[in-house]
């Protein structure tokens, strides 16, 4: 499970650093590098980095479950090992590789849902057999994108199992926070723009988190980050973010309220119809 840096792309290296870098100035540098990477590479870079983070989350959660295996092997790890064995057999049997189509993705999703929900060994074996038939087509073509898709399902299962367990490492706890954010957020397809670093720790600029800020320096931090988002997000996305922050239930007169009121006043004046 060691990371081979010789084969990693820039997105892979950034994803690894985001999860593994200790809190402090080094993590702040990683966040700035992520923002720069997205600015330079646009939507393609955002998609590439999101996929790299997802892959790193799977490996992080799997290592955590392996370390906990002395206390009884968790279901996610057992399934991961079974799928590894299945994949090795399919690779040997395949003639050439093939990318998946939308229909293939939907069928793999359905099959993985059945597999992760299987309760008995018989159900596991039957679902693995169905999955093998989906991945290796009659002409011998292997749906190579299916491996990444299966790992994303396994990562979700492992995240559910690890959530709430005591004595998790900082890396795993950070990974769980990132996994929740990336897969539960409904705000935008540019979620990584909302990653930030406050007092040397990962801070995700969600509506709920913003209203937890409380202090003079917290307000300055929020103003700086919202100014950054106003520059990089499309105007519609940024205004939607402001609306979401304003509408979420929060304590009255939070530090964020003052910053938001000033911003809203500015945008109302800027967008008001000309007389």
């Amino acid at each position: 499970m060691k990371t081979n840096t010789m084969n990693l792309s820039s997105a892979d290296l950034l994803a690894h650093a985001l999860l593994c870098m200790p809190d402090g100035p080094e993590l702040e540098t990683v966040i700035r590098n992520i923002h720069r990477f997205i600015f330079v590479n646009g939507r393609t870079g955002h998609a590439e980095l999101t996929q790299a983070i997802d892959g790193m989350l799977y490996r992080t959660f799997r290592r955590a479950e392996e370390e906990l295996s002395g206390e009884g092997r968790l279901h996610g790890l057992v399934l991961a090992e079974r799928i590894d064995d299945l994949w090795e057999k399919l690779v040997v049997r395949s003639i050439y590789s093939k990318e998946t189509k939308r229909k293939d993705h939907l069928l793999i999703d359905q099959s993985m849902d059945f597999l992760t929900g299987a309760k008995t060994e018989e159900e596991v074996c039957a679902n693995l057999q169905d999955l093998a038939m989906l991945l290796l087509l009659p002409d011998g073509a292997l749906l190579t994108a299916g491996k990444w898709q299966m790992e994303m399902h396994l990562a979700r299962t492992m995240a559910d199992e690890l959530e709430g367990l005591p004595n998790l490492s900082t890396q795993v706890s950070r990974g769980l926070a990132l996994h929740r954010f990336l897969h539960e957020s409904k705000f935008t397809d540019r979620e990584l723009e909302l990653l930030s670093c406050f007092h040397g720790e990962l801070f995700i600029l969600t509506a709920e988190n913003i209203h937890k800020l409380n202090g003079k320096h917290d307000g300055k931090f929020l103003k700086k980050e919202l100014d950054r988002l106003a520059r990089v997000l499309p105007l519609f996305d940024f205004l939607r973010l402001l609306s979401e922050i304003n509408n979420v239930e929060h304590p009255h007169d939070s530090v964020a309220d003052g910053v938001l009121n000033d911003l809203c006043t500015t945008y109302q004046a800027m967008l008001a119809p000309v007389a």
Side-chain angles (χ1 to χ4, degrees):
M1 297 299 293
K2 290 185 178 179
T3 302
N4 182 359
T5 55
M6 294 297 291
N7 298 323
L8 295 182
S9 66
S10 297
D12 290 326
L13 291 171
L14 284 172
H16 183 267
L18 178 63
L19 273 166
C20 301
M21 193 62 66
D23 291 334
E26 294 91 347
L27 183 59
E28 293 181 4
T29 299
V30 171
I31 298 294
R32 286 196 297 271
N33 289 340
I34 286 173
H35 293 160
R36 188 177 303 114
F37 179 87
I38 296 171
F39 177 78
V40 171
N41 296 284
R43 289 185 179 274
T44 300
H46 189 283
E48 182 185 353
L49 186 52
T50 300
Q51 184 166 335
I53 292 172
D54 275 337
M56 203 64 64
L57 288 173
Y58 168 70
R59 292 187 285 277
T60 297
F61 296 157
R62 180 163 179 168
R63 280 194 298 270
E65 294 213 344
E66 288 171 344
E67 291 170 1
L68 292 168
S69 61
E71 304 171 14
R73 301 176 76 73
L74 294 170
H75 186 55
L77 179 59
V78 172
L79 289 181
E81 291 171 344
R82 298 286 290 272
I83 285 179
D84 281 350
D85 291 340
L86 173 68
W87 188 257
E88 288 180 12
K89 294 174 183 176
L90 296 180
V91 168
V92 171
R93 291 168 54 189
S94 65
I95 300 170
Y96 59 93
S97 296
K98 184 177 181 181
E99 288 296 319
T100 50
K101 298 177 181 178
R102 177 172 173 76
K103 175 178 69 69
D104 300 321
H105 282 295
L106 293 174
L107 290 173
I108 293 173
D109 275 340
Q110 183 183 58
S111 185
M112 286 299 299
D113 284 339
F114 290 149
L115 178 62
T116 54
K119 302 298 183 185
T120 66
E121 174 63 17
E122 291 76 13
E123 290 176 341
V124 169
C125 290
N127 284 298
L128 282 172
Q129 186 175 358
D130 292 342
L131 191 58
M133 293 177 65
L134 283 174
L135 294 168
L136 189 60
L137 303 182
D139 62 359
L142 185 65
L143 300 178
T144 53
K147 185 66 159 63
W148 170 81
Q149 191 176 354
M150 291 186 296
E151 289 180 352
M152 294 308 96
H153 276 265
L154 292 170
R156 184 173 61 201
T157 297
M158 292 176 180
D160 290 342
E161 293 175 336
L162 292 168
E163 194 77 54
L165 291 182
N167 304 319
L168 294 176
S169 68
T170 300
Q171 181 178 344
V172 175
S173 297
R174 188 183 295 170
L176 291 171
L178 285 167
H179 189 271
R180 284 195 304 271
F181 172 63
L182 291 175
H183 294 281
E184 294 178 9
S185 171
K186 299 293 188 292
F187 161 64
T188 177
D189 61 352
R190 299 177 63 167
E191 296 94 342
L192 298 183
E193 300 282 9
L194 304 185
L195 297 184
S196 186
C197 200
F198 187 44
H199 295 322
E201 297 181 3
L202 179 68
F203 188 93
I204 303 174
L205 295 160
T206 63
E208 293 78 11
N209 286 347
I210 283 173
H211 285 291
K212 294 175 184 176
L213 295 170
N214 185 25
K216 181 175 68 174
H217 294 296
D218 301 40
K220 290 180 180 178
F221 161 76
L222 178 57
K223 176 67 166 64
K224 174 177 68 69
E225 288 301 280
L226 289 177
D227 285 346
R228 175 182 63 81
L229 291 174
R231 292 192 300 271
V232 299
L233 289 178
L235 180 60
F236 177 76
D237 281 350
F238 180 69
L239 294 178
R240 188 147 55 98
L241 175 63
L242 287 185
S243 175
E244 183 178 308
I245 294 170
N246 273 327
N247 292 332
V248 73
E249 185 175 346
H250 63 274
H252 183 62
D253 291 333
S254 71
V255 167
D257 278 340
V259 176
L260 293 168
N261 288 337
D262 289 344
L263 265 178
C264 288
T265 300
T266 299
Y267 276 92
Q268 286 169 355
M270 182 176 69
L271 298 174
V274 178

